[in-house]
Amino acid sequence: MKTLIAAYSGVLRGSPGSSILSALQDLSAITWLNRSKVEKQLQVISVLQWVLSFLVLGVACSVILVYLICTDCWLITALYFTWLAFDWNTPKKGGRRSQWVRNWAVWRYFRDYFPIQLVKTHNLLTTRNYIFGYHPHGIMGLGAFCNFSTEATEVSKKFPGIKPYLATLAGNFRMPVLREYLMSGGICPVNRDTIDYLLSKNGSGNAIIIVVGGAAESLSSMPGKNAVTLRNRKGFVKLALRHGADLVPTYSFGENEVYQQVIFEEGSWGRWVQKKFQKYIGFAPCIFHGRGLFSSDTWGLMPYSKPITTVVGEPITIPKLEHPTQQDIDLYHAMYTEALVKLFNQHKTKFGLPETEVLEVN
């Protein structure tokens, strides 16, 4: 429309048609503003649905199914739980991913809200299997989800022939409906049975993304802090050695910037409660906030619109050792830690961090 207006502007200017030109220009501006506003609203809605799914979908569906038992619709609950009994072990075998779900347009709006991008530094061979160490956890691991459980950042095009599996708490797969939603994106339980299956009985070209720092790392997530919980996290290295799966360091710049968190000091009652939850349930409850739904000046559950850039580093070739010794594990863990720090240092200035910024390894 702007091109058309420009073409006829000379003809209409200074004539009765000038009022038409002015009206068309105003209409063009209004259309553009409305489109921009609608896209922003769609971005907010796409992120909100994921945040609510992450926090309450499993519990809400459990309550609804239990309630239906007491109504004339009890058959729905009976059929679902009967089917669930037969399908119980599906998550342990990599789940039931859906390319249709992974390609939903909603994920592109999700991506653009922050925005989120995936940076490839090296090719990955389809004849190998991989374990990606994802750092840092942040509050919800939003970069990990968008980059590896959807096609919003075109992970399958950037790493052709590689099938990513984002590993998360096994407890999520005991939640009705939530488990189906997670599996459709290629999300699987982060336990030994699942990882053993994917790395030994599912062919090659598999990439399991493990958020190594887990719940402990989420407790220290805060804007302006680049710290990872890694020093004593060696289980993923042992699994890589047992299966000969290459290790790939991955750092997500900006993951810690999207939420504010109340940090409890060591020895406080708040940290004691968090550690008990972490020990017995597998996750640590955080007191956090983002922006409000309708305004960035108020508090709410919406994350702040801060860029998240996930950089996938160079794979570390790992030999296959049926029974790796502690010395073997320590050697490759040290190699991985060094590679992660190197990756951080190589890219930190590209994403707004000063040259003096140091990655804290705990």
Side-chain angles (χ1 to χ4, degrees):
M1 183 176 287
K2 289 182 179 180
T3 304
L4 180 63
I5 292 171
Y8 286 95
S9 61
V11 176
L12 295 176
R13 199 176 307 277
S15 69
S18 61
S19 60
I20 300 175
L21 172 61
S22 177
L24 287 173
Q25 288 176 329
D26 291 343
L27 178 62
S28 177
I30 291 171
T31 301
W32 183 86
L33 288 172
N34 285 343
R35 183 181 302 168
S36 176
K37 187 175 181 180
V38 167
E39 287 191 355
K40 187 61 181 178
Q41 290 171 340
L42 289 173
Q43 291 169 14
V44 170
I45 291 170
S46 68
V47 174
L48 179 63
Q49 68 83 23
W50 172 247
V51 170
L52 293 179
S53 297
F54 180 87
L55 295 175
V56 303
L57 180 61
V59 174
C61 289
S62 298
V63 171
I64 290 171
L65 287 170
V66 170
Y67 170 75
L68 289 177
I69 295 175
C70 306
T71 70
D72 293 337
C73 298
W74 62 269
L75 186 59
I76 295 176
T77 300
L79 289 174
Y80 180 82
F81 280 108
T82 300
W83 176 80
L84 187 61
F86 285 100
D87 194 60
W88 191 252
N89 290 322
T90 297
K92 296 179 181 179
K93 297 180 179 180
R96 190 169 38 248
R97 76 171 56 215
S98 166
Q99 285 302 116
W100 176 65
V101 173
R102 287 175 60 88
N103 281 285
W104 276 354
V106 67
W107 306 131
R108 294 191 289 275
Y109 289 111
F110 182 100
R111 172 200 65 197
D112 293 340
Y113 173 86
F114 296 92
I116 295 173
Q117 63 174 320
L118 179 66
V119 176
K120 170 186 174 181
T121 62
H122 291 78
N123 292 325
L124 299 181
L125 299 175
T126 58
T127 55
R128 301 285 292 174
N129 283 323
Y130 301 91
I131 293 179
F132 285 32
Y134 183 92
H135 313 268
H137 185 287
I139 297 296
M140 294 186 185
L142 295 167
F145 169 75
C146 184
N147 285 310
F148 301 112
S149 294
T150 80
E151 293 297 330
T153 55
E154 300 185 329
V155 61
S156 294
K157 291 183 179 179
K158 291 177 179 176
F159 299 102
I162 302 299
K163 185 179 289 187
Y165 294 89
L166 176 60
T168 187
L169 289 175
N172 289 323
F173 298 90
R174 301 188 187 101
M175 295 288 188
V177 183
L178 175 63
R179 69 190 293 275
E180 328 302 337
Y181 196 19
L182 296 178
M183 285 194 292
S184 67
I187 302 178
C188 65
V190 61
N191 56 36
R192 179 172 172 174
D193 290 343
T194 304
I195 296 173
D196 283 344
Y197 179 88
L198 292 174
L199 295 180
S200 63
K201 298 179 181 179
N202 202 44
S204 60
N206 301 293
I208 302 173
I209 296 87
I210 299 177
V211 187
V212 177
E217 192 171 84
S218 69
L219 296 180
S220 61
S221 171
M222 60 185 296
K225 185 172 184 179
N226 288 284
V228 297
T229 301
L230 178 61
R231 197 178 304 278
N232 296 316
R233 299 293 175 106
K234 301 181 180 181
F236 73 106
V237 178
K238 184 176 181 179
L239 284 169
L241 284 165
R242 289 180 61 244
H243 294 284
D246 295 347
L247 290 171
V248 183
T250 305
Y251 196 85
S252 209
F253 294 90
E255 185 72 64
N256 285 343
E257 306 299 317
V258 296
Y259 278 111
Q260 297 277 356
Q261 182 184 186
V262 176
I263 304 294
F264 293 103
E265 297 294 330
E266 289 292 338
S268 66
W269 67 269
R271 183 51 64 97
W272 180 85
V273 170
Q274 288 176 324
K275 286 187 173 181
K276 289 300 180 181
F277 266 83
Q278 179 186 339
K279 180 178 180 179
Y280 295 109
I281 300 178
F283 76 94
C286 302
I287 299 178
F288 65 91
H289 73 83
R291 51 158 290 177
L293 181 60
F294 302 107
S295 172
S296 59
D297 296 326
T298 59
W299 288 7
L301 292 176
M302 289 292 295
Y304 294 106
S305 300
K306 303 288 186 179
I308 299 175
T309 304
T310 302
V311 184
V312 179
E314 181 178 4
I316 303 168
T317 303
I318 304 294
K320 184 174 182 179
L321 304 174
E322 290 289 338
H323 303 287
T325 64
Q326 190 60 48
Q327 185 177 2
D328 295 325
I329 296 170
D330 291 342
L331 171 64
Y332 285 98
H333 182 270
M335 290 174 61
Y336 177 87
T337 303
E338 182 181 352
L340 178 64
V341 172
K342 180 180 178 182
L343 179 72
F344 177 85
N345 289 333
Q346 285 177 335
H347 294 273
K348 60 187 178 182
T349 57
K350 300 175 186 177
F351 305 114
L353 297 178
E355 186 64 45
T356 54
E357 184 74 17
V358 176
L359 179 62
E360 181 183 331
V361 179
N362 299 315

